[in-house]
Every structure is written in C-alpha cells, then in structure tokens.
Amino acid sequence: MAEGRRHRDQLNAWNLDHIHMTSSNGTDLTVGLADDATWEGASSKAENGTDFIANVPTEEVFCAPHRERVNGIVYGTKPYVYNGQLIEGWHVTFKDGKVVEHGAEKNASLLAELLSTDENACRIGEIALVPASSPINQSGVLFYNTLFDENAACHIAFGAGYPTNIKGGSKMNRTELLAKGLNDSAIHEDVMIGAPDTNVIGTTKDGKEVTIFTNGEWAF
C-alpha cells in the first residue's frame, strides 16, 4: 500500500497534462487528462476523513481522462467478459476522445453493442496503471470478475468517470463535471490494455517529459 501511495503522490506532484502509452502489439495511445484531474489508488479518503481501501487486492493507480482528448489506437491484452461472453483480440481507435473504429477477433458484435450502450459509452472515463508484475497478472488466471481482473494490467474504462478523480468533484453536479472533461455514461466497463513491454511517458503542464512505465513496470 505504501508503494501505491508513493506512485499516486508522485503522479499528482508532476501535474500531468497527458500521458502517451505504447507497446509492441501496436498500441499507440495519447490520453489527455481532465481539468483538475487527480490520481487515486492504494487507498481513498471518505468525506469524513477516514482512510479506506475500496478494493482488495488492488494494484491500480488511476485518473480521469478528458473525454475529448484521447487519440490513437489501443489493443486489448486480455479477453473482456461482457454479459458472460468473451470479447477477444479486440482493438479500438480514438479521435478527439471518441471511438471511431473498432474490431475484435471474437465477438466483435458484442464490442459494438457495448460501445453503443449510450452516446458516451464510446468514450473513456478512466485510465489506470498496473505493473505487469502484479500478482493477479502473474497468476495467469482470468477471474471473470472485474474487481480482480482489473488488477492484472493497465486498463481503460469505457463510459463514466469518477467524480473523485476531479479536485472537488464529489461536490460538483453533472454539468460542472462535464465542463472539466469528465465523461458521463450509464456504463463503466474496464478493459485490459497493459502488455509486458508497455511504456508510458507523461508530459507535465509546463511541457516536461517524465518516464512513468518502462517495459511494463513503474520507472520510479
């Protein structure tokens, strides 16, 4: 938990504008962060000030993308369980935050169904970083349960973002959160995109580049 907090706190200290994720499978994705976005992970703080861990085990440190600032292509690295069926070998292409092209080797029609759930299901509400050395990943087990499986790899979530990933967001209404760039949707579906050779470079708001992930692992 201490390591998770350290990574979270450093990401926040860098005051990132966007991150760029690449891997040899073809993923080349730039994710701009929402206005006043804040990274969370390891533990959270309730409104009464109490620290708590919402998900055990947990490996992720996550943030809110800006709904209009996601561009590039990303390939899934693990099957996605949708309504009890597996979507495998999938990919999506984003332009200005919206999925403009997608496909899958298996159950492509289900991916299309997911992305058309509502008008904002084709945008993402979360970007999460998880190292390839995660025990869940090393187990090689697909648990068919997102709360476990999301701890196996870096992931994105189609659909709604978390207000708590915006500074003061828990006290904002939908219109105010939308103005910050937080996506709103009826769904929040996590899909795995992290690979053993995933690299992530961040760019701060003052234009400095920082190395976040190298070959699937934290670089700091």
Side-chain angles (χ1 to χ4, degrees):
M1 299 309 299
E3 279 295 282
R5 293 187 186 101
R6 184 175 70 82
H7 292 134
R8 175 199 65 194
D9 292 346
Q10 181 59 72
L11 288 167
N12 282 321
W14 275 328
N15 195 24
L16 296 171
D17 175 75
H18 63 272
I19 64 172
H20 181 210
M21 178 180 291
T22 58
S23 54
S24 61
N25 64 4
T27 288
D28 188 347
L29 184 70
T30 298
V31 179
L33 302 182
D35 300 342
D36 295 327
T38 182
W39 293 85
E40 291 197 348
S43 63
S44 301
K45 192 176 290 291
E47 291 186 4
N48 65 1
T50 301
D51 285 319
F52 72 98
I53 304 170
N55 186 16
V56 179
T58 184
E59 295 282 342
E60 65 174 338
V61 179
F62 58 97
C63 197
H66 193 291
R67 63 189 303 275
E68 296 179 346
R69 297 180 56 220
V70 181
N71 290 281
I73 188 168
V74 63
Y75 288 84
T77 53
K78 293 184 182 297
Y80 173 62
V81 182
Y82 180 64
N83 289 341
Q85 300 185 69
L86 291 181
I87 301 173
E88 299 184 69
W90 60 269
H91 74 275
V92 295
T93 302
F94 293 93
K95 181 175 175 52
D96 297 332
K98 185 176 182 179
V99 174
V100 294
E101 183 272 337
H102 56 82
E105 295 172 4
K106 180 180 179 181
N107 283 327
S109 61
L110 290 181
L111 177 61
E113 180 181 317
L114 166 67
L115 294 172
S116 60
T117 301
D118 58 34
E119 64 177 347
N120 291 323
C122 59
R123 300 179 186 269
I124 61 173
E126 178 186 351
I127 175 70
L129 302 178
V130 178
S133 58
S134 157
I136 295 292
N137 185 43
Q138 294 300 312
S139 75
V141 175
L142 184 65
F143 288 90
Y144 294 85
N145 184 310
T146 300
L147 291 180
F148 290 113
D149 289 330
E150 70 176 2
N151 291 293
C154 295
H155 53 273
I156 55 176
F158 295 113
Y162 295 121
T164 51
N165 277 133
I166 303 293
K167 294 176 184 177
S170 60
K171 297 180 180 179
M172 296 180 185
N173 59 37
R174 286 187 175 184
T175 301
E176 292 170 326
L177 290 168
L178 195 66
K180 294 289 184 180
L182 190 72
N183 198 40
D184 184 33
S185 172
I187 68 168
H188 179 95
E189 300 287 340
D190 296 283
V191 293
M192 308 305 117
I193 63 172
D197 64 349
T198 291
N199 294 314
V200 181
I201 300 294
T203 300
T204 66
K205 284 185 167 60
D206 58 6
K208 178 183 177 182
E209 286 193 349
V210 294
T211 302
I212 299 174
F213 259 51
T214 300
N215 289 325
E217 299 297 328
W218 291 105
F220 61 91

